[in-house]
Amino acid sequence: MDRTLMEDRYVDTVLGRIRLRVGGSGPAMLFWPSLLMDGMLWAGQVDHFAARFRVVLVDPPGHGASSPLTKPFTFDQCAAVIVEILDALGLERTHLIGNSWGGMIGGTFAALYPDRVGISVLMNATASPAGLRHRLEYPLLARSAQLLRGIRGPLVKPVIDAFLGPTARRTKPEVVAAVNDSVRRVAIDSGRHAVLSVVPHRPDQRELFGRIRTPVLVVAGIEDATFPVAETRVMAEAIPGARFVVLEGAAHLAALECPAEVNALIDEFLLAQS
């Protein structure tokens, strides 16, 4: 599908006005990206799925053209945002595809709203609380962003290093450029609230994820330095019946780094549930 045919929609939610890009027809498939990325993280999925699904790309709270964040949020509120999006679009259910932040709250949504989800594909995510490194480094990064307001260069490299592995940095300059551009567009205050809510202050969701009864595919990137394979495997093990896959050559943004491989995994998982 031509991405220019995606329609912009706006939905008022508990976390402000959310911008969506909606296109295609068929069963709904909602995509929620990582921190510091907007809905176009999923451009490679639009091209593949919009001929068969109603594709909904979310600019998450405080990102892209969604309303700025003015305070921290909870994962339960993020899951409620998904419900409000579905209600506004007249959708009873959706398949949910999430990366990092999207993967974490995709699990929250599946646990809390099982009647409104089909399959869930949770990529580059965790169900565990923040370890010492995330509790120390990310508040410092958020504070530095405030102090260096308007001076983005020094802040971009740590994000590139956290999000992309050696394969993408060495062989995929278009991916590096996309992450660079996305990070530079995030408003400092919104980014700070989101980073603190999703990384150092995130909840331990392992017990909650044990309540999930819908089909879940968990995907890890072998080069992911933010949520290494072992941590994402713990998330998969917390979800009854979840399938776990490790992608070679992928780091923290698998859908952007390896779109064809991710699309094939989603198709295969959908077929297995039909």
Side-chain angles (χ1 to χ4, degrees):
M1 177 179 181
D2 185 341
R3 284 174 228 161
T4 62
L5 298 180
M6 299 286 283
E7 175 191 6
D8 279 9
R9 296 282 300 272
Y10 291 86
V11 175
D12 291 323
T13 76
V14 68
L15 293 179
R17 196 170 187 233
I18 299 297
R19 194 270 286 273
L20 312 171
R21 296 177 180 91
V22 183
S25 60
M29 185 176 282
L30 183 144
F31 295 83
W32 187 301
S34 166
L35 279 171
L36 309 182
M37 305 295 292
D38 66 17
M40 290 313 293
L41 172 73
W42 307 102
Q45 284 61 58
V46 172
D47 294 341
H48 184 80
F49 288 106
R52 295 172 287 142
F53 294 89
R54 189 176 188 196
V55 171
V56 180
L57 307 185
V58 178
D59 281 0
H63 292 65
S66 292
S67 296
L69 287 165
T70 59
K71 59 185 177 180
F73 53 78
T74 68
F75 283 14
D76 284 8
Q77 287 177 311
C78 293
V81 166
I82 298 174
V83 173
E84 291 172 306
I85 290 170
L86 297 183
D87 288 347
L89 297 179
L91 300 172
E92 185 63 30
R93 294 160 59 86
T94 186
H95 300 307
L96 197 146
I97 320 296
N99 184 96
S100 189
W101 177 12
M104 294 182 233
I105 63 97
T108 313
F109 179 73
L112 297 180
Y113 302 98
D115 294 337
R116 307 210 65 175
V117 67
I119 70 159
S120 302
V121 181
L122 314 179
M123 300 190 294
N124 305 113
T126 183
S128 301
L132 181 62
R133 181 172 69 87
H134 283 179
R135 294 200 308 272
L136 294 177
E137 288 183 3
Y138 279 77
L140 179 61
L141 181 63
R143 180 60 177 160
S144 298
Q146 280 189 296
L147 294 175
L148 296 173
R149 190 181 300 272
I151 306 174
R152 300 299 184 100
L155 302 175
V156 173
K157 186 180 184 303
V159 177
I160 296 289
D161 291 343
F163 280 7
L164 301 179
T167 298
R169 293 200 301 268
R170 185 178 66 251
T171 67
K172 300 179 180 180
E174 73 284 0
V175 170
V176 177
V179 175
N180 194 326
D181 290 346
S182 184
V183 172
R184 290 175 183 273
R185 288 195 301 269
V186 177
I188 293 294
D189 288 339
S190 285
R192 178 174 60 88
H193 288 310
V195 166
L196 293 177
S197 299
V198 173
V199 186
H201 300 160
R202 68 177 180 263
D204 184 344
Q205 298 203 102
R206 289 170 291 183
E207 183 176 351
L208 176 67
F209 285 12
R211 292 161 43 186
I212 296 174
R213 294 295 180 268
T214 50
V216 177
L217 169 65
V218 177
V219 180
I222 199 165
E223 299 178 5
D224 193 342
T226 300
F227 299 134
V229 170
E231 183 166 348
T232 305
R233 188 188 303 274
V234 169
M235 176 180 172
E237 291 172 347
I239 301 170
R243 183 185 172 203
F244 181 62
V245 174
V246 179
L247 272 179
E248 300 291 331
H252 192 61
L253 301 176
L256 182 63
E257 299 167 87
C258 305
E261 292 86 347
V262 166
N263 294 343
L265 282 174
I266 297 171
D267 274 334
E268 178 187 349
F269 195 62
L270 282 164
L271 182 61
Q273 310 308 317
S274 61

